[in-house]
Amino acid sequence: MARRREFAALLGDFRRTPVLVPLGDGPGPDEERGLLTADLGGIRFILAFSDEQALARYAVARGEAAREWTYQTILGARLLDVAVPAAGVPCGVALDCADGEEGMVFPPVRGMVPDEAALDFDIDADRDAGVRHER
């Protein structure tokens, strides 16, 4: 129970915090490039960083420290509530992924992302069972 409360507090902090999200390598102007993602086990993760130092550690880990990294600053809640569902595939957020155990993963599960983007949510099954969902 304490572990669950601790994670809920971390999730709340993430939702309220602006994070750095690098743009992918797609062609075109910055506003047309997508967010940098990585696929793992059939789930796409948007890569986010708590600050420029965390992004620099990621760049070094990739062997791309000399590259210029273009990024947007996005509120954690906006990533989870807007960007994840917009991905169109199972998607979550990985925060500070070059930092080992210090990093965080926010998978696409109920309570973390909108129900329609959650892998552990079947609105049709819940409707058949008589569960009501407020929108």
Side-chain angles (χ1 to χ4, degrees):
M1 193 62 116
R3 199 180 246 181
R4 197 173 261 185
R5 278 193 302 272
E6 183 179 311
F7 187 78
L10 289 171
L11 176 61
D13 287 345
F14 176 74
R15 294 183 65 79
R16 291 185 295 274
T17 302
V19 294
L20 310 182
V21 183
L23 299 181
D25 293 329
D30 290 346
E31 60 271 6
E32 293 180 13
R33 291 168 55 193
L35 304 177
L36 184 64
T37 62
D39 291 349
L40 179 65
I43 299 174
R44 179 163 297 156
F45 286 92
I46 298 168
L47 304 184
F49 300 90
S50 55
D51 53 34
E52 288 182 344
Q53 292 78 19
L55 176 53
R57 288 189 295 276
Y58 175 76
V60 168
R62 283 185 55 141
E64 299 182 36
R67 172 184 154 190
E68 182 177 329
W69 290 81
T70 303
Y71 61 84
Q72 294 181 351
T73 302
I74 303 174
L75 195 61
R78 187 159 174 82
L79 283 176
L80 294 172
D81 297 342
V82 178
V84 163
V89 296
C91 185
V93 176
L95 178 67
D96 297 339
C97 58
D99 292 348
E101 290 184 17
E102 296 299 313
M104 290 290 304
V105 175
F106 300 99
V109 296
R110 208 174 356 184
M112 207 163 303
V113 301
D115 289 346
E116 64 271 11
L119 291 178
D120 63 339
F121 182 75
D122 183 345
I123 196 162
D124 293 327
D126 280 357
R127 190 177 297 122
D128 293 343
V131 177
R132 285 191 54 197
H133 296 279
E134 300 298 322
R135 295 265 181 211

